[in-house]
């Protein structure tokens, strides 16, 4: 089925100037950018976005990293977009990410891991609405 997923190019990858290289991978895999913005998240926004991780030991470091520089946020659309994007990203920990994945090629650590992608249809809908409320998604 045609799905949408929320993708974030994190501060480490934006700082490395590889937004275009990551977009090229989305496009080559048949994922279309249907909404996008470069943003500098506040602590409040990052904390709200990652609220599901609030009780995890890494929450504070996660919020501090995600607010350390600008991020590129996009909604991607395509056949099986959620799983497709997760395959492109590779494992959360870049040391465990398969060769040729975004995290294997561009990430340094589990915190600075280059990209975020929604993990399921329900979270994708919530995450897209969080960053692109209203009608700011353009499918064609
Ligand atoms: P992301 O997909 O953005 O979702 C939550 C983030 O928390 C994750 O990527 C990692 O960058 C970060 N993180 C740090 N430590 C861990 C951990 N032990 N398990 C999962 N995520 C972690």
């Amino acid at each position: 089925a045609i799905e949408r997923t929320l993708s974030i190019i994190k501060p480490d990858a934006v700082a490395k100037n590889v937004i275009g290289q990551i977009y090229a991978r989305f496009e080559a895999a048949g994922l279309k950018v249907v909404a996008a913005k470069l943003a500098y998240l506040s602590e409040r926004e990052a904390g709200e976005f990652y609220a599901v991780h609030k009780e995890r030991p890494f929450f504070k470091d996660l919020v501090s990293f995600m607010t350390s520089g600008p991020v590129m946020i996009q909604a991607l659309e395509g056949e099986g977009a959620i799983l497709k994007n997760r395959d492109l990203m590779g494992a959360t920990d870049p040391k465990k990410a398969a060769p040729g994945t975004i995290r294997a090629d561009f990430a340094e650590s589990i915190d600075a891991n280059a990209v975020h992608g929604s993990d399921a249809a329900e979270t994708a809908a919530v995450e897209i609405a969080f960053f692109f409320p209203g009608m700011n998604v353009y499918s064609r």
Side-chain angles (χ1 to χ4, degrees):
I2 301 289
E3 296 174 337
R4 286 178 184 168
T5 190
L6 193 277
S7 158
I8 303 177
I9 301 177
K10 297 188 180 186
D12 58 319
V14 172
K16 275 187 179 166
N17 201 23
V18 293
I19 292 173
Q21 291 188 56
I22 294 173
Y23 267 42
R25 292 178 184 216
F26 296 153
E27 292 172 357
L31 294 176
K32 183 177 186 178
V33 175
V34 294
K37 62 180 176 188
L38 190 65
Y40 208 136
L41 300 181
S42 66
E43 260 185 53
R44 185 182 163 172
E45 285 173 306
E48 271 180 41
F49 180 75
Y50 281 119
V52 290
H53 296 305
K54 213 164 221 149
E55 305 306 325
R56 309 285 289 274
F58 56 81
F59 180 74
K60 207 165 171 276
D61 285 347
L62 175 61
V63 169
S64 127
F65 177 66
M66 291 301 287
T67 56
S68 67
V71 294
M72 188 72 200
I73 309 166
Q74 43 283 326
L76 304 174
E77 184 179 86
E79 187 62 37
I82 296 162
L83 190 59
K84 200 173 260 181
N85 183 43
R86 293 186 71 79
D87 287 344
L88 289 177
M89 291 193 297
T92 305
D93 183 351
K95 290 194 288 290
K96 295 174 187 154
T101 60
I102 293 168
R103 283 168 172 157
D105 290 345
F106 300 119
E108 305 303 331
S109 70
I110 196 163
D111 293 304
N113 68 347
V115 279
H116 165 83
S118 308
D119 61 3
E122 303 72 47
T123 42
V126 171
E127 291 180 359
I128 291 170
F130 183 85
F131 284 121
F132 302 106
M135 297 303 288
N136 298 324
V137 177
Y138 304 106
S139 206
R140 54 185 159 171

